[in-house]
Amino acid sequence: MEIRHLQVVAEIVRQKSFTRAAETLHLTQPTISKTIKNLENELNVEVFVRDGKAIKLTDAGQAIMNYTGPILKLFDQLQSELHDLTYLNKGHISLGLPPMAGANFFPSVIKSFQETYPGIAIRMVEEGSVKVEESVASGELDVGVVLTPVDDELFESFPVIEEELRVIMHPSNALAGKQRVELAELAEERFILFNSDFALHNRIIAECRAVGYTPRIEYESTQWDFIGEMVAANLGIAMLPDTICRFFDKDKICSVPLVSPVIPWQLAMVWRREGYLSRAAREWILFTKDLFADSSLNRTNLR
């Protein structure tokens, strides 16, 4: 049994005539008759009988008709939803963002996207880069923003943000008056880091070890603003991207460029190379790729 069989049965019942049903469905009467005959042969029942000039449903035909209305209604709803999804009138995207990127770079991006596609809902998950990458790889998230480098065999990607880390410290720190700070000079400092769900956690530890020491980690957090508050309380030093450092009160926190080495903070939008990606998610990728590639769009507009 096919949907077209039910559509023909319903129209014959509505029109009370094979001839008029053929006209409204833009079919020939022999085609209508053949469709009903094929249905009867498939089900091994009669659907219609003639009572004089009138056409009536058999008991089997009435049973079919009882289900035909709800089935056709659901089919119409399915076609409508598929149309909306195809033409981006509706849909949803699951997006993973590290807290620093989510709070400071993406609100205006999301607003611009939803002004263009108001029917598409965005579910945002704020996690560290490591967690976001794992969730995109597992298919739990459609797309995510992660710290580079990324696994090019597993993910497709494009860059979205490129900055460098700065050292933040209490103004009373002996290094606060310097024009720049080398990583080796921080060997005796107490470090405040993001926890291990964040790619910066392992990146900073690895860079410190590369210049000859393992950092003394006093505190860990998942929130950049709380890290700033701990630095302002003189509980240790931290490393954060340039954009984040601009938010802090200069009377409470001193921000100094980090050199030897410079540690980049480069974020990329990633999605799986293999697996299903919805039309809405594909459009998000195209939209944001164009937005971040626009050299005329300064960083202020992305905050």
Side-chain angles (χ1 to χ4, degrees), residues 2-187:
E2 300 176 10
I3 285 291
R4 66 184 181 88
H5 289 138
L6 299 183
Q7 290 170 331
V8 168
V9 170
E11 194 60 29
I12 291 171
V13 171
R14 186 178 299 114
Q15 301 294 338
K16 300 180 181 178
S17 165
F18 276 60
T19 301
R20 288 194 292 272
E23 291 173 355
T24 57
L25 292 173
H26 305 290
L27 299 172
T28 64
Q29 184 167 336
T31 299
I32 290 284
S33 298
K34 184 178 180 180
T35 298
I36 296 302
K37 189 62 177 177
N38 289 341
L39 177 62
E40 291 176 331
N41 289 340
E42 179 183 344
L43 301 178
N44 196 30
V45 296
E46 283 189 297
V47 178
F48 291 101
V49 293
R50 288 189 176 275
D51 185 4
K53 293 185 178 181
I55 297 174
K56 293 185 177 181
L57 287 166
T58 63
D59 289 342
Q62 185 61 56
I64 292 171
M65 194 59 198
N66 290 341
Y67 287 93
T68 293
I71 290 172
L72 292 180
K73 183 177 181 180
L74 287 172
F75 182 68
D76 288 343
Q77 290 173 352
L78 173 60
Q79 286 187 309
S80 178
E81 183 159 345
L82 291 175
H83 179 276
D84 284 344
L85 290 171
T86 300
Y87 293 97
L88 298 173
N89 295 323
K90 68 188 304 183
H92 70 274
I93 302 165
S94 55
L95 168 67
L97 293 173
M100 285 190 291
N104 299 288
F105 293 93
F106 277 86
S108 62
V109 174
I110 293 169
K111 179 182 179 183
S112 180
F113 181 81
Q114 297 212 296
E115 286 174 348
T116 306
Y117 302 106
I120 297 178
I122 298 178
R123 178 177 70 89
M124 286 180 291
V125 176
E126 275 199 306
E127 297 278 9
S129 181
V130 173
K131 282 286 190 182
V132 170
E133 189 168 330
E134 290 174 353
S135 296
V136 174
S138 69
E140 183 181 343
L141 294 174
D142 296 320
V143 290
V145 174
V146 303
L147 196 69
T148 62
V150 300
D151 185 345
D152 290 332
E153 291 187 3
L154 185 59
F155 300 109
E156 292 193 59
S157 65
F158 64 86
V160 293
I161 301 163
E162 296 185 15
E163 293 193 353
E164 296 175 354
L165 295 187
R166 295 172 68 93
V167 184
I168 60 170
M169 62 193 77
H170 191 271
S172 66
N173 191 296
L175 300 173
K178 300 193 68 172
Q179 294 297 312
R180 58 188 63 84
V181 173
E182 294 186 9
L183 187 59
E185 295 180 85
L186 302 175

Side-chain angles (χ1 to χ4, degrees), residues 235-288:
L235 295 174
I237 62 100
M239 298 179 196
L240 294 172
D242 178 59
T243 293
I244 303 300
C245 294
R246 296 174 194 169
F247 286 93
F248 297 133
D249 185 341
K250 294 180 180 180
D251 293 331
K252 297 180 179 180
I253 296 175
C254 181
S255 166
V256 182
L258 176 68
V259 297
S260 299
V262 169
I263 302 179
W265 187 66
Q266 299 173 326
L267 298 181
M269 187 81 67
V270 299
W271 62 98
R272 290 188 301 167
R273 285 190 177 275
E274 303 294 334
Y276 173 74
L277 195 63
S278 70
R279 176 77 185 277
R282 294 198 301 271
E283 191 60 31
W284 165 265
I285 291 166
L286 292 173
F287 186 91
T288 53

